[in-house]
mmCIF file of all heavy atoms in Angstrom:
data_model
loop_
_atom_site.group_PDB
_atom_site.id
_atom_site.type_symbol
_atom_site.label_atom_id
_atom_site.label_comp_id
_atom_site.label_asym_id
_atom_site.label_seq_id
_atom_site.Cartn_x
_atom_site.Cartn_y
_atom_site.Cartn_z
ATOM 1 N N GLY X 77 -11.180 -12.473 1.613
ATOM 2 C CA GLY X 77 -10.206 -11.669 2.308
ATOM 3 C C GLY X 77 -9.842 -12.131 3.669
ATOM 4 O O GLY X 77 -10.295 -13.111 4.093
ATOM 5 N N PHE X 78 -8.890 -11.345 4.245
ATOM 6 C CA PHE X 78 -8.390 -11.724 5.567
ATOM 7 C C PHE X 78 -8.013 -10.493 6.352
ATOM 8 O O PHE X 78 -7.921 -9.391 5.810
ATOM 9 C CB PHE X 78 -7.321 -12.748 5.476
ATOM 10 C CG PHE X 78 -6.003 -12.291 4.684
ATOM 11 C CD1 PHE X 78 -5.006 -11.604 5.352
ATOM 12 C CD2 PHE X 78 -5.886 -12.547 3.333
ATOM 13 C CE1 PHE X 78 -3.952 -11.239 4.645
ATOM 14 C CE2 PHE X 78 -4.814 -12.247 2.583
ATOM 15 C CZ PHE X 78 -3.748 -11.539 3.333
ATOM 16 N N GLN X 79 -7.759 -10.731 7.542
ATOM 17 C CA GLN X 79 -7.478 -9.485 8.475
ATOM 18 C C GLN X 79 -6.500 -9.900 9.482
ATOM 19 O O GLN X 79 -6.295 -11.174 9.782
ATOM 20 C CB GLN X 79 -8.625 -8.837 9.080
ATOM 21 C CG GLN X 79 -9.273 -9.772 10.140
ATOM 22 C CD GLN X 79 -10.457 -9.031 10.888
ATOM 23 O OE1 GLN X 79 -11.310 -8.441 10.160
ATOM 24 N NE2 GLN X 79 -10.577 -9.213 12.184
ATOM 25 N N SER X 80 -5.738 -9.042 10.074
ATOM 26 C CA SER X 80 -4.851 -9.317 11.209
ATOM 27 C C SER X 80 -5.625 -9.671 12.464
ATOM 28 O O SER X 80 -6.738 -9.189 12.733
ATOM 29 C CB SER X 80 -3.970 -7.996 11.541
ATOM 30 O OG SER X 80 -4.641 -6.995 11.889
ATOM 31 N N LYS X 81 -4.956 -10.510 13.342
ATOM 32 C CA LYS X 81 -5.576 -10.848 14.630
ATOM 33 C C LYS X 81 -5.563 -9.677 15.555
ATOM 34 O O LYS X 81 -6.532 -9.524 16.367
ATOM 35 C CB LYS X 81 -4.742 -12.034 15.224
ATOM 36 C CG LYS X 81 -4.896 -13.335 14.461
ATOM 37 C CD LYS X 81 -3.973 -14.314 15.048
ATOM 38 C CE LYS X 81 -4.083 -15.735 14.368
ATOM 39 N NZ LYS X 81 -3.259 -16.738 14.881
ATOM 40 N N GLY X 82 -4.569 -8.908 15.497
ATOM 41 C CA GLY X 82 -4.364 -7.768 16.367
ATOM 42 C C GLY X 82 -4.814 -6.390 15.798
ATOM 43 O O GLY X 82 -4.796 -6.330 14.583
ATOM 44 N N SER X 83 -4.836 -5.410 16.640
ATOM 45 C CA SER X 83 -4.867 -3.946 16.156
ATOM 46 C C SER X 83 -3.634 -3.248 16.620
ATOM 47 O O SER X 83 -3.075 -3.478 17.653
ATOM 48 C CB SER X 83 -6.055 -3.279 16.695
ATOM 49 O OG SER X 83 -7.371 -3.954 16.401
ATOM 50 N N TYR X 84 -3.139 -2.266 15.790
ATOM 51 C CA TYR X 84 -1.918 -1.685 16.039
ATOM 52 C C TYR X 84 -1.851 -0.188 15.948
ATOM 53 O O TYR X 84 -2.652 0.398 15.119
ATOM 54 C CB TYR X 84 -0.896 -2.141 14.938
ATOM 55 C CG TYR X 84 -0.799 -3.764 15.069
ATOM 56 C CD1 TYR X 84 -1.700 -4.561 14.289
ATOM 57 C CD2 TYR X 84 0.186 -4.336 15.879
ATOM 58 C CE1 TYR X 84 -1.545 -5.960 14.364
ATOM 59 C CE2 TYR X 84 0.243 -5.751 15.898
ATOM 60 C CZ TYR X 84 -0.571 -6.494 15.213
ATOM 61 O OH TYR X 84 -0.580 -7.894 15.213
ATOM 62 N N LEU X 85 -1.117 0.398 16.765
ATOM 63 C CA LEU X 85 -0.805 1.855 16.738
ATOM 64 C C LEU X 85 0.565 2.149 16.383
ATOM 65 O O LEU X 85 1.511 1.871 17.253
ATOM 66 C CB LEU X 85 -1.124 2.535 18.163
ATOM 67 C CG LEU X 85 -2.532 3.196 18.308
ATOM 68 C CD1 LEU X 85 -2.604 3.693 19.836
ATOM 69 C CD2 LEU X 85 -2.768 4.327 17.410
ATOM 70 N N PHE X 86 0.901 2.289 15.108
ATOM 71 C CA PHE X 86 2.239 2.523 14.536
ATOM 72 C C PHE X 86 2.979 1.196 14.330
ATOM 73 O O PHE X 86 2.643 0.154 15.026
ATOM 74 C CB PHE X 86 3.044 3.409 15.455
ATOM 75 C CG PHE X 86 2.308 4.811 15.770
ATOM 76 C CD1 PHE X 86 2.011 5.112 17.072
ATOM 77 C CD2 PHE X 86 1.881 5.604 14.779
ATOM 78 C CE1 PHE X 86 1.336 6.221 17.436
ATOM 79 C CE2 PHE X 86 1.244 6.862 15.126
ATOM 80 C CZ PHE X 86 1.006 7.143 16.382
ATOM 81 N N GLY X 87 3.926 1.313 13.396
ATOM 82 C CA GLY X 87 4.732 0.089 13.183
ATOM 83 C C GLY X 87 5.048 -0.058 11.657
ATOM 84 O O GLY X 87 4.981 0.876 10.830
ATOM 85 N N HIS X 88 5.427 -1.218 11.384
ATOM 86 C CA HIS X 88 5.974 -1.623 9.957
ATOM 87 C C HIS X 88 5.272 -2.844 9.562
ATOM 88 O O HIS X 88 5.335 -3.846 10.245
ATOM 89 C CB HIS X 88 7.511 -1.795 9.963
ATOM 90 C CG HIS X 88 8.074 -2.211 8.552
ATOM 91 N ND1 HIS X 88 8.877 -3.172 8.468
ATOM 92 C CD2 HIS X 88 7.805 -1.523 7.367
ATOM 93 C CE1 HIS X 88 9.099 -3.287 7.119
ATOM 94 N NE2 HIS X 88 8.527 -2.276 6.449
ATOM 95 N N PHE X 89 4.587 -2.830 8.431
ATOM 96 C CA PHE X 89 3.611 -3.853 8.024
ATOM 97 C C PHE X 89 3.917 -4.168 6.576
ATOM 98 O O PHE X 89 3.958 -3.325 5.704
ATOM 99 C CB PHE X 89 2.162 -3.437 8.171
ATOM 100 C CG PHE X 89 1.847 -2.832 9.651
ATOM 101 C CD1 PHE X 89 2.027 -1.404 9.734
ATOM 102 C CD2 PHE X 89 1.702 -3.603 10.679
ATOM 103 C CE1 PHE X 89 1.775 -0.837 10.994
ATOM 104 C CE2 PHE X 89 1.384 -3.126 11.859
ATOM 105 C CZ PHE X 89 1.456 -1.715 12.049
ATOM 106 N N SER X 90 4.142 -5.485 6.296
ATOM 107 C CA SER X 90 4.619 -5.835 4.968
ATOM 108 C C SER X 90 4.113 -7.098 4.577
ATOM 109 O O SER X 90 3.739 -7.943 5.395
ATOM 110 C CB SER X 90 6.153 -5.911 4.961
ATOM 111 O OG SER X 90 6.633 -6.334 3.742
ATOM 112 N N MET X 91 3.896 -7.302 3.245
ATOM 113 C CA MET X 91 3.428 -8.647 2.663
ATOM 114 C C MET X 91 4.185 -8.682 1.270
ATOM 115 O O MET X 91 4.362 -7.620 0.620
ATOM 116 C CB MET X 91 1.951 -8.684 2.427
ATOM 117 C CG MET X 91 1.026 -8.910 3.506
ATOM 118 S SD MET X 91 -0.633 -8.996 2.928
ATOM 119 C CE MET X 91 -1.480 -8.692 4.526
ATOM 120 N N GLN X 92 4.493 -9.854 0.795
ATOM 121 C CA GLN X 92 4.870 -10.094 -0.501
ATOM 122 C C GLN X 92 3.580 -10.649 -1.226
ATOM 123 O O GLN X 92 2.958 -11.608 -0.898
ATOM 124 C CB GLN X 92 6.008 -11.076 -0.649
ATOM 125 C CG GLN X 92 7.308 -10.555 -0.074
ATOM 126 C CD GLN X 92 8.463 -11.508 -0.234
ATOM 127 O OE1 GLN X 92 8.539 -12.047 -1.316
ATOM 128 N NE2 GLN X 92 9.351 -11.501 0.669
ATOM 129 N N VAL X 93 3.332 -10.047 -2.442
ATOM 130 C CA VAL X 93 2.091 -10.379 -3.232
ATOM 131 C C VAL X 93 2.445 -10.587 -4.701
ATOM 132 O O VAL X 93 3.423 -9.879 -5.244
ATOM 133 C CB VAL X 93 1.099 -9.307 -3.183
ATOM 134 C CG1 VAL X 93 -0.281 -9.856 -3.771
ATOM 135 C CG2 VAL X 93 0.815 -8.842 -1.713
ATOM 136 N N LYS X 94 1.995 -11.609 -5.296
ATOM 137 C CA LYS X 94 1.983 -11.821 -6.750
ATOM 138 C C LYS X 94 0.533 -11.631 -7.219
ATOM 139 O O LYS X 94 -0.301 -12.430 -6.993
ATOM 140 C CB LYS X 94 2.511 -13.246 -7.064
ATOM 141 C CG LYS X 94 2.745 -13.403 -8.486
ATOM 142 C CD LYS X 94 3.600 -14.599 -8.806
ATOM 143 C CE LYS X 94 3.376 -15.874 -8.088
ATOM 144 N NZ LYS X 94 4.138 -17.050 -8.480
ATOM 145 N N MET X 95 0.334 -10.678 -8.112
ATOM 146 C CA MET X 95 -0.937 -10.311 -8.555
ATOM 147 C C MET X 95 -1.538 -11.192 -9.484
ATOM 148 O O MET X 95 -0.826 -12.035 -10.062
ATOM 149 C CB MET X 95 -0.943 -8.843 -9.124
ATOM 150 C CG MET X 95 -0.497 -7.793 -8.237
ATOM 151 S SD MET X 95 -1.474 -7.636 -6.640
ATOM 152 C CE MET X 95 -0.255 -6.745 -5.624
ATOM 153 N N VAL X 96 -2.868 -10.927 -9.659
ATOM 154 C CA VAL X 96 -3.684 -11.790 -10.719
ATOM 155 C C VAL X 96 -3.054 -11.678 -12.032
ATOM 156 O O VAL X 96 -2.843 -10.543 -12.618
ATOM 157 C CB VAL X 96 -5.158 -11.310 -10.817
ATOM 158 C CG1 VAL X 96 -5.949 -12.093 -11.842
ATOM 159 C CG2 VAL X 96 -5.773 -11.496 -9.427
ATOM 160 N N PRO X 97 -2.571 -12.831 -12.727
ATOM 161 C CA PRO X 97 -1.913 -12.699 -13.975
ATOM 162 C C PRO X 97 -2.987 -12.589 -15.078
ATOM 163 O O PRO X 97 -4.229 -12.833 -15.002
ATOM 164 C CB PRO X 97 -1.032 -14.003 -14.095
ATOM 165 C CG PRO X 97 -2.032 -14.966 -13.266
ATOM 166 C CD PRO X 97 -2.618 -14.107 -12.192
ATOM 167 N N GLY X 98 -2.453 -12.235 -16.336
ATOM 168 C CA GLY X 98 -3.263 -12.309 -17.545
ATOM 169 C C GLY X 98 -4.386 -11.172 -17.470
ATOM 170 O O GLY X 98 -4.150 -10.116 -16.998
ATOM 171 N N ASP X 99 -5.573 -11.506 -18.003
ATOM 172 C CA ASP X 99 -6.650 -10.430 -18.043
ATOM 173 C C ASP X 99 -7.248 -10.378 -16.757
ATOM 174 O O ASP X 99 -8.035 -11.155 -16.244
ATOM 175 C CB ASP X 99 -7.659 -11.114 -18.963
ATOM 176 C CG ASP X 99 -8.742 -10.011 -19.302
ATOM 177 O OD1 ASP X 99 -8.934 -9.127 -18.484
ATOM 178 O OD2 ASP X 99 -9.424 -10.170 -20.349
ATOM 179 N N SER X 100 -6.859 -9.323 -15.950
ATOM 180 C CA SER X 100 -7.379 -9.088 -14.525
ATOM 181 C C SER X 100 -8.241 -7.868 -14.567
ATOM 182 O O SER X 100 -8.520 -7.324 -13.424
ATOM 183 C CB SER X 100 -6.130 -8.812 -13.652
ATOM 184 O OG SER X 100 -5.365 -7.783 -14.166
ATOM 185 N N ALA X 101 -8.778 -7.374 -15.660
ATOM 186 C CA ALA X 101 -9.624 -6.280 -15.720
ATOM 187 C C ALA X 101 -10.760 -6.324 -14.765
ATOM 188 O O ALA X 101 -11.366 -7.445 -14.794
ATOM 189 C CB ALA X 101 -10.098 -5.950 -17.213
ATOM 190 N N GLY X 102 -11.139 -5.302 -14.006
ATOM 191 C CA GLY X 102 -12.229 -5.287 -13.123
ATOM 192 C C GLY X 102 -11.988 -5.857 -11.800
ATOM 193 O O GLY X 102 -12.694 -5.585 -10.933
ATOM 194 N N THR X 103 -10.836 -6.459 -11.608
ATOM 195 C CA THR X 103 -10.396 -7.058 -10.259
ATOM 196 C C THR X 103 -9.645 -6.023 -9.547
ATOM 197 O O THR X 103 -8.900 -5.092 -10.053
ATOM 198 C CB THR X 103 -9.663 -8.252 -10.428
ATOM 199 O OG1 THR X 103 -8.215 -8.027 -10.914
ATOM 200 C CG2 THR X 103 -10.315 -9.326 -11.300
ATOM 201 N N VAL X 104 -9.729 -6.008 -8.116
ATOM 202 C CA VAL X 104 -8.996 -5.204 -7.288
ATOM 203 C C VAL X 104 -8.393 -6.102 -6.149
ATOM 204 O O VAL X 104 -9.012 -6.880 -5.533
ATOM 205 C CB VAL X 104 -9.707 -4.082 -6.602
ATOM 206 C CG1 VAL X 104 -8.904 -3.455 -5.514
ATOM 207 C CG2 VAL X 104 -10.279 -3.097 -7.555
ATOM 208 N N THR X 105 -7.053 -6.034 -6.022
ATOM 209 C CA THR X 105 -6.405 -6.668 -4.872
ATOM 210 C C THR X 105 -5.945 -5.553 -3.974
ATOM 211 O O THR X 105 -5.103 -4.625 -4.319
ATOM 212 C CB THR X 105 -5.073 -7.356 -5.388
ATOM 213 O OG1 THR X 105 -5.427 -8.313 -6.567
ATOM 214 C CG2 THR X 105 -4.445 -8.250 -4.430
ATOM 215 N N ALA X 106 -6.519 -5.676 -2.731
ATOM 216 C CA ALA X 106 -6.191 -4.499 -1.757
ATOM 217 C C ALA X 106 -5.422 -5.079 -0.599
ATOM 218 O O ALA X 106 -5.551 -6.092 -0.184
ATOM 219 C CB ALA X 106 -7.556 -4.023 -1.310
ATOM 220 N N PHE X 107 -4.569 -4.111 -0.094
ATOM 221 C CA PHE X 107 -3.774 -4.358 1.168
ATOM 222 C C PHE X 107 -3.870 -3.111 1.884
ATOM 223 O O PHE X 107 -3.454 -1.997 1.346
ATOM 224 C CB PHE X 107 -2.336 -4.789 0.777
ATOM 225 C CG PHE X 107 -1.397 -4.646 1.895
ATOM 226 C CD1 PHE X 107 -1.667 -5.043 3.238
ATOM 227 C CD2 PHE X 107 -0.047 -4.177 1.708
ATOM 228 C CE1 PHE X 107 -0.714 -4.944 4.276
ATOM 229 C CE2 PHE X 107 0.915 -4.085 2.757
ATOM 230 C CZ PHE X 107 0.475 -4.497 3.967
ATOM 231 N N TYR X 108 -4.406 -2.995 3.069
ATOM 232 C CA TYR X 108 -4.750 -1.730 3.823
ATOM 233 C C TYR X 108 -4.865 -1.822 5.242
ATOM 234 O O TYR X 108 -4.975 -2.881 5.790
ATOM 235 C CB TYR X 108 -5.986 -1.061 3.161
ATOM 236 C CG TYR X 108 -7.284 -1.902 3.350
ATOM 237 C CD1 TYR X 108 -8.196 -1.452 4.342
ATOM 238 C CD2 TYR X 108 -7.574 -2.889 2.558
ATOM 239 C CE1 TYR X 108 -9.317 -2.187 4.576
ATOM 240 C CE2 TYR X 108 -8.823 -3.574 2.734
ATOM 241 C CZ TYR X 108 -9.692 -3.230 3.742
ATOM 242 O OH TYR X 108 -10.869 -3.894 3.949
ATOM 243 N N LEU X 109 -4.601 -0.740 5.906
ATOM 244 C CA LEU X 109 -4.808 -0.660 7.321
ATOM 245 C C LEU X 109 -6.074 0.239 7.575
ATOM 246 O O LEU X 109 -6.322 1.258 6.835
ATOM 247 C CB LEU X 109 -3.651 -0.011 8.137
ATOM 248 C CG LEU X 109 -2.316 -0.818 8.181
ATOM 249 C CD1 LEU X 109 -1.644 -0.941 6.885
ATOM 250 C CD2 LEU X 109 -1.468 -0.184 9.336
ATOM 251 N N SER X 110 -6.901 -0.151 8.556
ATOM 252 C CA SER X 110 -8.052 0.547 8.794
ATOM 253 C C SER X 110 -8.468 0.388 10.259
ATOM 254 O O SER X 110 -8.409 -0.644 10.929
ATOM 255 C CB SER X 110 -9.184 0.165 7.945
ATOM 256 O OG SER X 110 -10.350 0.990 8.136
ATOM 257 N N SER X 111 -9.010 1.552 10.854
ATOM 258 C CA SER X 111 -9.541 1.498 12.238
ATOM 259 C C SER X 111 -11.041 1.226 12.048
ATOM 260 O O SER X 111 -11.586 1.005 10.934
ATOM 261 C CB SER X 111 -9.405 2.888 12.942
ATOM 262 O OG SER X 111 -10.006 3.971 12.186
ATOM 263 N N GLN X 112 -11.789 1.144 13.194
ATOM 264 C CA GLN X 112 -13.058 0.451 13.156
ATOM 265 C C GLN X 112 -14.356 1.369 13.450
ATOM 266 O O GLN X 112 -15.333 0.880 13.664
ATOM 267 C CB GLN X 112 -13.081 -0.548 14.297
ATOM 268 C CG GLN X 112 -11.899 -1.422 14.345
ATOM 269 C CD GLN X 112 -11.709 -2.274 13.059
ATOM 270 O OE1 GLN X 112 -12.693 -3.055 12.709
ATOM 271 N NE2 GLN X 112 -10.616 -2.195 12.425
ATOM 272 N N ASN X 113 -14.140 2.772 13.424
ATOM 273 C CA ASN X 113 -15.253 3.524 13.813
ATOM 274 C C ASN X 113 -15.662 4.451 12.509
ATOM 275 O O ASN X 113 -15.076 4.361 11.394
ATOM 276 C CB ASN X 113 -14.984 4.530 14.872
ATOM 277 C CG ASN X 113 -13.723 5.249 14.762
ATOM 278 O OD1 ASN X 113 -13.317 5.586 13.701
ATOM 279 N ND2 ASN X 113 -12.993 5.594 15.833
#
Side-chain angles (χ1 to χ4, degrees):
F78 60 89
Q79 70 177 44
S80 61
K81 295 178 179 178
S83 298
Y84 301 89
L85 267 174
F86 311 117
H88 181 229
F89 312 94
S90 176
M91 289 181 195
Q92 291 188 34
V93 189
K94 184 161 52 174
M95 301 299 161
V96 174
D99 190 339
S100 58
T103 71
V104 174
T105 306
F107 165 42
Y108 61 102
L109 288 73
S110 182
S111 61
Q112 309 301 303
N113 54 30

